Amino acid sequence: MNITVIGTGYVGLVTGACFSKMGNKVYCVDIVEEKIEGLKNNILPIFEPHLGTLVKNSQEKGDLIFTTDIKEALDDTDIIFIAVGTPMAEDGSANLDYIFSAASDIANNITHDSLVVIKSTVPVGTGFKVKDHINAILNERNSNVKIDIASNPEFLKEGHAIEDCLHPDRVVIGAERDEVFETLKDLYSTFVLNHDRFVLMDIKSSEMTKYVANAMLATKISFMNEIANICEVTGANVKNVRLGIGSDSRIGYNFIYAGCGYGGSCFPKDVQALINTAQVNGYEPKILANVELVNKKQKTVLVKKVTDRFGEDLSGMTFAIWGLAFKPGTDDVREATSLVVASQLIKHGAKIKAYDSQATEEFKRTIDDACLESIEFTDGRYDAIDGCDALILITEWKEFRNPDFRLLSEKLNHNVIFDGRNIYDKKIENLGFELYQIGC
Ligand SMILES: NC(=O)c1ccc[n+]([C@@H]2O[C@H](COP(=O)([O-])OP(=O)(O)OC[C@H]3O[C@@H](n4cnc5c(N)ncnc54)[C@H](O)[C@@H]3O)[C@@H](O)[C@H]2O)c1
């Protein structure tokens, strides 16, 4: 099939590359010229394992074409995917400007009947609004082109995106006509050869499914973080509690790790957008509002632990931060806990030495400029701790799991570790370390 993917970010680029790997001809369109120029030369705008090889191989075969010219792409296309960003607006709703701008671009350039699939995460009802928007422009153009609309939310995880995309655990499709379901099933059947993983439904339910998936995962995390905080004040250990409850198959072990808060481009904005959708429809959600509240507070627990240990005035002190990305495997720092911890410690007078193998540049671009002069970025994990007063672990990259603790002890002024992801064993206390964790 010939496919156009509009928006070449984490989702658009990964899905475009994966469709091309399956032999489809894929146009990836973006409005940012330098991004497209870079991609033509196999320079990726994001870090995602295995993506570089996939992009390079598909471009060499001619199956993956990067362009800013939407007309060139649409003229040669059977299915159009919209994968542009839907960031959080000031009022917490999803900002749909990019979606409607992409819809306008389609309507102004399409010359044959087409299927438009919304892959971006959009509030319930957006699909129909996009269809109306496209049809209104087509009418103005006196065009007879017919548009079908479908919802096909994306569930990939950054850091694991290629694997998730090539081997999805489910493919959710919302559509109005059987023919549309069949077209998308044909496209995706190459990804799910060993058994049928299609979940077919109406468009509104499909749009809602994506929000509910993210809200449920965020809820599990905030729930467990709240339990961790209760464990701390009662002397229980949340790691043991997790094992104790995870063994119940109704609960399971995943997504019940306590930590220093979730970040990323999706959970915070999607929970907030779902709250907003409920409110504008006259329903006041109680659980969702607190999921976000608990998370915001959880991003500050490491700072509280630091000031409890070293005092409110941290001037003259330097803290090493290991990990800036919102999670391992990505360079994405959107809503990352590292941004909160670094800026709050700086407000307390501290200086920071930070190391992350992938996310340093994104972090520099994202954090307040005023903070930058108090942060030194290093190229190696041990350089970051040199002469620091304590180590703060924020992102659980694998290289941090089993460090040389003797070297840490030599380099740190105090043998103090704040472990925001509970990756270290209490046994390191036998080596003379003070270990502060979340809920244990
Ligand atoms: N990042 C994730 O892990 C993830 C996972 C599942 C779903 N989603 C959802 O997918 C959507 C995209 O997320 P993302 O992280 O890939 O966003 P992103 O911000 O990384 O990328 C969006 C891209 O769209 C481009 N764009 C904007 N308007 C355009 C237009 N009119 N024409 C062409 N290109 C345009 C931007 O330049 C940018 O490159 C969002 O709705 C998000 O919630 C994201």
Side-chain angles (χ1 to χ4, degrees):
M1 287 183 189
N2 288 7
I3 295 166
T4 289
V5 181
I6 302 178
T8 311
Y10 285 88
V11 168
L13 182 54
V14 168
T15 12
C18 289
F19 283 144
S20 70
K21 184 179 167 70
M22 295 303 180
N24 299 290
K25 182 175 177 187
V26 181
Y27 289 88
C28 278
V29 182
D30 207 286
I31 44 175
V32 180
E33 285 198 17
E34 58 185 355
K35 193 180 266 194
I36 292 298
E37 276 316 303
L39 282 162
K40 283 180 180 168
N41 294 301
N42 297 313
I43 300 166
L44 300 195
I46 53 169
F47 168 74
E48 183 60 47
H50 315 299
L51 182 59
T53 317
L54 195 50
V55 166
K56 187 166 180 288
N57 290 346
S58 290
Q59 281 207 94
E60 279 168 7
K61 285 189 197 141
D63 289 337
L64 187 57
I65 299 143
F66 293 103
T67 180
T68 51
D69 181 355
I70 192 159
K71 185 153 179 36
E72 172 202 1
L74 294 185
D75 283 349
D76 196 19
T77 282
D78 307 308
I79 310 178
I80 307 156
F81 282 85
I82 299 180
V84 299
T86 49
M88 199 193 304
E90 294 251 311
D91 63 355
S93 65
N95 175 347
L96 298 178
D97 290 354
Y98 299 115
I99 293 282
F100 283 100
S101 158
S104 300
D105 292 344
I106 295 169
N108 284 316
N109 291 287
I110 195 78
T111 51
H112 56 278
D113 294 353
S114 296
L115 169 58
V116 176
V117 185
I118 301 183
K119 190 163 260 311
S120 303
T121 304
V122 292
V124 174
T126 305
F128 293 118
K129 288 182 189 157
V130 166
K131 188 178 179 185
D132 290 347
H133 182 79
I134 294 175
N135 282 335
I137 296 175
L138 289 172
N139 282 342
E140 277 170 29
R141 284 177 54 206
N142 291 322
S143 163
N144 292 323
V145 166
K146 301 255 173 314
I147 292 292
D148 271 305
I149 198 93
S151 161
N152 170 223
E154 182 52 59
F155 298 97
L156 62 77
K157 302 181 285 297
E158 286 178 24
H160 211 256
I162 302 294
E163 177 66 17
D164 288 346
C165 198
L166 292 176
H167 307 285
D169 46 19
R170 81 284 213 195
V171 178
V172 173
I173 301 171
E176 295 176 287
R177 297 195 305 123
D178 287 345
E179 290 81 348
V180 173
F181 285 124
E182 288 311 313
T183 304
L184 288 172
K185 281 174 78 175
D186 286 348
L187 172 64
Y188 277 111
S189 55
T190 46
F191 293 86
V192 291
L193 281 181
N194 70 348
H195 69 272
D196 186 336
R197 292 172 212 184
F198 294 108
V199 187
L200 308 181
M201 59 182 78
D202 60 283
I203 291 176
K204 283 187 171 184
S205 303
S206 169
E207 291 167 337
M208 183 59 117
T209 297
K210 173 64 193 176
Y211 280 103
V212 176
N214 277 355
M216 172 65 92
L217 294 171
T219 303
K220 285 181 89 172
I221 296 172
S222 275
F223 174 82
M224 212 53 194
N225 283 337
E226 184 146 280
I227 297 301
N229 297 337
I230 301 173
C231 284
E232 268 184 29
V233 293
T234 54
N237 183 329
V238 76
K239 283 191 192 175
N240 294 335
V241 173
R242 176 184 160 267
L243 295 175
I245 63 168
S247 50
D248 183 333
S249 61
R250 294 170 303 175
I251 298 173
Y253 292 106
N254 291 333
F255 267 79
I256 54 168
Y257 289 92
C260 53
Y262 61 75
S265 66
C266 292
F267 288 2
K269 85 169 169 67
D270 290 350
V271 171
Q272 206 54 60
L274 188 52
I275 292 170
N276 183 272
T277 298
Q279 286 172 337
V280 297
N281 285 285
Y283 182 83
E284 194 55 52
K286 301 283 188 300
I287 293 176
L288 294 174
N290 285 300
V291 167
E292 259 302 275
L293 219 61
V294 168
N295 191 54
K296 278 208 174 91
K297 184 125 193 279
Q298 199 66 15
K299 287 180 176 177
T300 67
V301 295
L302 285 174
V303 178
K304 167 99 174 43
K305 285 175 192 292
V306 171
T307 52
D308 283 352
R309 171 63 179 78
F310 291 108
E312 291 291 320
D313 181 6
L314 301 175
S315 44
M317 302 195 80
T318 305
F319 293 90
I321 290 184
W322 275 4
L324 301 171
F326 84 91
K327 68 172 184 179
T330 182
D331 59 350
D332 200 340
V333 303
R334 288 179 279 186
E335 305 284 337
T337 298
S338 60
L339 295 163
V340 175
V341 173
S343 52
Q344 291 200 355
L345 289 177
I346 290 167
K347 274 198 188 118
H348 282 274
K351 292 209 177 311
I352 305 290
K353 278 177 101 175
Y355 168 70
D356 188 297
S357 63
Q358 299 298 335
T360 302
E361 292 311 313
E362 280 304 314
F363 185 88
K364 284 182 190 168
R365 267 192 283 274
T366 312
I367 195 157
D368 280 351
D369 284 349
C371 290
L372 278 175
E373 61 193 32
S374 303
I375 308 176
E376 183 189 335
F377 297 93
T378 66
D379 291 332
R381 64 197 158 162
Y382 295 118
D383 296 336
I385 52 171
D386 235 346
C388 284
D389 289 288
L391 168 63
I392 302 171
L393 181 295
I394 296 183
T395 317
E396 67 277 32
W397 288 95
K398 285 205 173 75
E399 66 175 312
F400 301 143
R401 285 186 187 231
N402 201 12
D404 181 343
F405 285 106
R406 281 179 215 291
L407 194 58
L408 288 190
S409 172
E410 277 168 30
K411 285 175 174 271
L412 287 169
N413 295 339
H414 308 274
N415 284 354
V416 179
I417 298 178
F418 299 93
D419 172 9
R421 301 293 171 189
N422 289 352
I423 64 171
Y424 295 128
D425 196 293
K426 283 274 179 206
K427 274 190 287 194
I428 68 166
E429 288 176 345
N430 299 336
L431 300 171
F433 282 94
E434 275 173 55
L435 178 63
Y436 297 91
Q437 297 185 296
I438 312 291
C440 43

